[in-house]
């Protein structure tokens, strides 16, 4: 099977498996796992923050990150198609008592002015105050869109005077940095909390890292424990993350190039491919997915008329060629 459904389907490479097997471990709940500590220190430094917290999933990283900057009964404002309000099962409300409110953007592109205009102030007893704004970069449901740096800067600068925090869902921030050339610490310093994923394009089997100030991460450790995320000899997973940081970041450019080539050969404008996602609109998605599966190619049905294709660590040039052979006649 050629699996284009998601970059979460990647499997550890042989070298990553060796690093995991040879990992030195300790009890992370006691703060004694040397590789977890090394991973947290490294990722915090990469994003220009004081501290970091290794968590089992991006959803946990996002939800703890938002809880650190928003109290129960306050709201997080974000895009209507954002992962934190679309794919995280209402966790902000169900677990933390946070209200969420959304704006409909133009194709997922961040507009600082649009978000700022919808912020509700503290001190008005009739309104739910906006404590934080959530930004997603790259934007999943917008086809791997890289958010404009100037809009991120404008939003963050405004937030300093407004007393509103910014949370970054950076599940694929590595793709954004490679595609745009914007340094990771630039992105990191434009957010109060940020969750970055190791198990998508970077190819680790499990894990995300939440970065923030030292005080916030200390509180985040309590929330991780409350949510059942306290892990013991988890250095075997941290080893995979460290290996990914050493070997799998720069190669994301190969995934982006393959996605553009896949798009062009399927009649999609490659200029619409920002990173590693190709979106096919106006198709009979269930029929296309079923027929492609029968020919050994798996694709993701986003809706009845939209299909998404992702390139990743397990998709080489030959896989792209085969996918085109299967999908082009179906389209």
């Amino acid at each position: 099977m050629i699996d284009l459904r998601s970059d979460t389907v990647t499997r550890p490479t042989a070298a990553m498996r060796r690093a995991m097997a040879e990992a030195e471990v300790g009890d992370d709940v006691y703060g004694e796992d040397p590789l977890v500590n090394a991973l947290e220190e490294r990722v915090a430094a990469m994003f220009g923050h004081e501290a970091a917290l290794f968590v089992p999933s991006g959803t946990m990283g996002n939800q703890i990150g938002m809880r650190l900057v928003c109290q129960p009964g306050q709201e997080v404002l974000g895009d209507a198609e954002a992962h934190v309000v679309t794919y995280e099962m209402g966790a902000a409300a169900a677990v933390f008592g946070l209200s969420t409110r959304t704006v409909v953007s133009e194709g997922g592109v961040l507009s600082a002015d649009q978000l700022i205009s919808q912020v509700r102030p503290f001190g008005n007893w009739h309104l739910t105050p906006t404590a934080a704004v959530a930004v997603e970069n790259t934007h999943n449901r917008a086809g791997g869109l890289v958010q404009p740096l100037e809009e991120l800067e404008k939003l963050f600068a405004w937030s300093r005077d407004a007393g509103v925090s910014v949370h970054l869902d950076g599940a694929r921030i590595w793709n954004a940095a490679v595609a745009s050339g914007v340094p990771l610490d630039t992105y990191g310093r434009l957010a109060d909390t940020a969750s970055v994923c190791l198990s998508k394009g970077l190819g680790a089997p499990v894990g995300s890292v939440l970065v923030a100030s030292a005080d916030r991460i200390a509180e985040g450790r309590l929330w991780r424990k409350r949510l059942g995320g306290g892990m013991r000899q988890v250095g075997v997973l941290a080893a995979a993350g460290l290996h990914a940081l050493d070997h799998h970041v720069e190669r994301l450019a190969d995934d982006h190039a393959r996605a553009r080539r896949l798009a062009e050969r399927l009649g999609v404008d490659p200029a619409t491919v920002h990173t590693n996602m190709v979106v096919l609109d106006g198709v009979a998605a269930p029929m296309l997915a079923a027929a492609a599966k029968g020919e050994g190619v798996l694709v993701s049905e986003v809706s009845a008329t939209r299909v998404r294709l992702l390139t990743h660590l397990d998709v080489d040039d030959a896989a792209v060629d085969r996918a085109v052979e299967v999908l082009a006649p179906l389209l």
Side-chain angles (χ1 to χ4, degrees):
M1 281 288 180
I2 296 169
D3 198 339
L4 302 177
R5 291 174 299 172
S6 176
D7 45 11
T8 60
V9 304
T10 55
R11 293 159 297 180
T13 63
M16 182 179 285
R17 289 174 186 268
R18 284 195 298 272
M20 295 170 69
E22 297 168 2
E24 181 183 357
V25 298
D27 191 316
D28 183 48
V29 173
Y30 286 108
E32 296 174 353
D33 192 295
L35 293 186
V36 172
N37 293 340
L39 176 65
E40 290 173 343
E41 291 172 8
R42 182 170 175 182
V43 175
M46 292 174 78
F47 286 90
H49 278 263
E50 292 179 339
L53 181 67
F54 185 51
V55 294
S57 71
T59 293
M60 185 180 286
N62 277 331
Q63 295 300 321
I64 294 176
M66 292 192 296
R67 178 59 183 84
L68 293 176
V69 293
C70 189
Q71 297 296 317
Q74 299 174 349
E75 75 174 13
V76 177
L77 183 66
D79 186 76
E81 297 289 349
H83 192 284
V84 296
V85 296
T86 304
Y87 293 125
E88 301 189 8
M89 314 312 293
V95 178
F96 292 125
L98 307 184
S99 179
T100 54
R101 191 159 53 89
T102 61
V103 299
V104 178
S105 62
E106 185 68 33
V109 180
L110 172 68
S111 166
D113 288 339
Q114 183 186 32
L115 287 168
I116 291 168
S117 70
Q118 293 298 313
V119 169
R120 290 172 175 164
F122 284 83
N124 185 322
W125 302 113
H126 300 286
L127 300 176
T128 302
T130 307
V133 175
V135 175
E136 185 175 339
N137 194 20
T138 66
H139 195 311
N140 181 353
R141 287 180 62 86
L145 172 81
V146 178
Q147 298 292 3
L149 179 61
E150 59 273 17
E151 293 298 314
L152 294 168
E153 291 173 333
K154 185 175 184 179
L155 177 65
F156 191 73
W158 167 86
S159 73
R160 299 307 87 183
D161 294 329
V164 174
S165 297
V166 175
H167 171 71
L168 170 64
D169 176 0
R172 295 182 175 88
I173 195 67
W174 320 97
N175 297 83
V178 169
S180 68
V182 175
L184 291 170
D185 62 348
T186 297
Y187 282 135
R189 291 191 176 98
L190 297 176
D192 297 285
T193 57
S195 177
V196 301
C197 192
L198 303 171
S199 63
K200 292 184 171 66
L202 297 194
V206 177
S208 288
V209 181
L210 176 67
V211 300
S213 67
D215 288 344
R216 285 191 170 123
I217 291 300
E219 182 183 352
R221 290 187 184 278
L222 300 178
W223 283 115
R224 185 183 69 174
K225 192 70 159 55
R226 290 184 180 117
L227 295 174
M231 300 174 286
R232 299 296 180 172
Q233 288 72 31
V234 74
V236 291
L237 298 180
L242 288 166
H243 180 88
L245 294 179
D246 286 337
H247 301 285
H248 294 169
V249 176
E250 292 182 2
R251 65 148 308 280
L252 292 172
D254 298 334
D255 295 341
H256 301 170
R258 289 185 177 114
R260 289 191 297 270
R261 186 159 64 89
L262 180 62
E264 188 171 22
R265 293 179 65 183
L266 293 178
V268 176
D269 182 359
T272 65
V273 179
H274 286 227
T275 51
N276 66 325
M277 298 188 193
V278 179
V279 176
L280 306 177
D281 275 319
V283 299
M287 295 176 63
L288 178 64
K293 183 177 181 180
E295 296 293 327
V297 176
L298 299 178
V299 301
S300 178
E301 299 176 53
V302 179
S303 71
T305 59
R306 172 174 284 193
V307 162
R308 187 188 71 171
L309 317 173
L310 270 80
T311 53
H312 51 76
L313 185 64
D314 292 348
V315 176
D316 58 15
D317 289 333
V320 170
D321 291 339
R322 175 57 184 159
V324 170
E325 290 176 3
V326 170
L327 294 172
L330 295 175
L331 290 173

